[in-house]
Amino acid sequence: MTAEIISGKELSTQLRNELAEEVQDLKVTPSLAVILVGDDPASHSYVRGKEKACRTAGIHSIVKRHPTSLREDELIAEIDALNEDSSVHGILVQLPLPEHISEDAVIERIAVNKDVDGFHPVNVGRLLTGKKAFTPCTPLGIMKMLEISGVDPRGKHAVVVGRSQLVGRPVGQLLLNKDATVTYCHSKTKDLAFHASQADILIAAAGREGMISEAHVKEGAAVIDVGVNRVESTGKLTGDVQFEEVKEKAGWITPVPGGVGPMTITMLLHNTVEAARGTMF
Ligand code: GUN
């Protein structure tokens, strides 16, 4: 069997066009504030990508760039001001933050109804209890890719490899909320290949280049590759899945690049539009 390739790039283009149309019909222009502290090149590149995507969807974006030396209390004061500003609908603090700033304290300060990243403990708790919540963008993008491909999680066995706050944990929760039977695997799991090869839906989110081989995959499974690993020798991006061999066995597979990556920003736009509608809670 050769897998159907789920193109996050194509799906993103379609969804961003739909969002741009939705934005036209809103009474307000959705507005996203992004805070970036420090000079990490990857973070700067991600934030430029977010700005550009906002522009093409007709979403207003404000980016606050600060030096690494910014104090935690200064950052908190900026968040307080953005929380109070009714023209700002979404607030995103780019992670990671410099070591002297507590990420937890910062995330907890963001107003729950402006938390377009879905990292605030109230949104995390609402997701856990199966309630409507702002949901982290990468997991939301994964669910959209499954939906568009006709892969219904109900009654299926989903195996999530990786237990990060950003991806592994929340995507497992979303799959559970859609009635999948969910197994989490992680660095201490014994016999990963045994567990992974039981999966009807396999989410590879460990951040380890090529760790999922053909031996980890059941014939016909949907394989979603969340890995973003840079190959040192070539500088190219590669996933957690050995794409060429796994695509001959899987039913569906996402490529890297052009798979889950573009969906993350698309879902950020989606969450910002939701925040502007003000109907989440
Ligand atoms: N850094 C890497 N990914 C993300 C993300 O999804 N949101 C934020 N705020 N920071 C990140």
Side-chain angles (χ1 to χ4, degrees):
M1 165 175 233
T2 301
E4 186 180 311
I5 295 170
I6 313 172
S7 167
K9 201 167 164 225
E10 281 173 25
L11 178 55
S12 275
T13 304
Q14 181 195 327
L15 292 173
R16 288 183 199 190
N17 288 339
E18 286 171 16
L19 274 168
E21 280 178 28
E22 271 181 58
V23 167
Q24 299 275 324
D25 295 338
L26 287 177
K27 289 194 189 78
V28 292
T29 302
S31 169
L32 173 69
V34 176
I35 304 177
L36 175 55
V37 186
D39 50 16
D40 176 48
S43 290
H44 277 263
S45 164
Y46 287 140
V47 167
R48 278 194 302 275
K50 287 168 185 173
E51 267 184 299
K52 188 168 162 233
C54 281
R55 229 179 358 258
T56 55
I59 294 172
H60 181 243
S61 73
I62 314 153
V63 180
K64 311 259 190 192
R65 293 182 174 83
H66 297 287
T68 310
S69 58
L70 185 79
R71 293 195 318 268
E72 183 174 311
D73 64 305
E74 291 173 317
L75 179 52
I76 295 281
E78 180 156 74
I79 292 170
D80 286 348
L82 292 168
N83 284 342
E84 287 297 314
D85 184 343
S86 61
S87 72
V88 171
H89 305 106
I91 302 171
L92 180 149
V93 178
Q94 186 67 26
L95 303 176
L97 286 168
E99 269 185 21
H100 66 276
I101 300 179
S102 157
E103 288 187 353
D104 285 347
V106 166
I107 288 166
E108 285 173 29
R109 198 72 174 205
I110 297 171
V112 174
N113 62 344
K114 297 191 178 188
D115 172 35
V116 286
D117 253 335
F119 295 165
H120 190 289
V122 170
N123 279 315
V124 175
R126 291 181 66 94
L127 177 64
L128 196 75
T129 49
K131 296 195 183 74
K132 227 177 150 204
F134 280 110
T135 305
C137 302
T138 302
L140 212 49
I142 292 168
M143 297 306 285
K144 199 77 197 171
M145 293 176 102
L146 292 173
E147 185 192 319
I148 217 84
S149 309
V151 180
D152 181 359
R154 173 180 270 198
K156 302 249 167 59
H157 187 182
V159 175
V160 181
V161 184
R163 52 176 160 175
S164 70
Q165 303 285 358
L166 258 67
V167 183
R169 287 171 200 248
V171 79
Q173 210 54 56
L174 287 170
L175 287 160
L176 180 65
N177 292 350
K178 289 280 181 196
D179 301 323
T181 302
V182 181
T183 300
Y184 287 93
C185 295
H186 45 77
S187 55
K188 305 292 182 294
T189 296
K190 293 198 173 81
D191 203 349
L192 174 65
F194 167 78
H195 293 286
S197 61
Q198 309 286 312
D200 303 305
I201 299 171
L202 179 61
I203 312 289
R208 291 183 55 185
E209 183 190 334
M211 79 178 300
I212 301 296
S213 70
E214 175 267 333
H216 296 79
V217 174
K218 181 163 90 175
E219 187 86 34
V223 180
I224 308 292
D225 190 351
V226 192
V228 196
N229 312 295
R230 196 152 305 266
V231 183
E232 255 186 48
S233 54
T234 60
K236 286 201 175 130
L237 279 190
T238 182
D240 287 0
V241 176
Q242 294 187 27
F243 184 83
E244 289 305 324
E245 62 177 62
V246 171
K247 86 173 190 323
E248 299 305 322
K249 196 172 185 185
W252 296 264
I253 191 167
T254 65
V256 177
V260 174
M263 292 298 291
T264 298
I265 293 189
T266 303
M267 292 301 125
L268 173 65
L269 304 178
H270 166 89
N271 280 352
T272 304
V273 170
E274 283 266 330
R277 281 188 202 285
T279 52
M280 178 62 83
F281 303 110

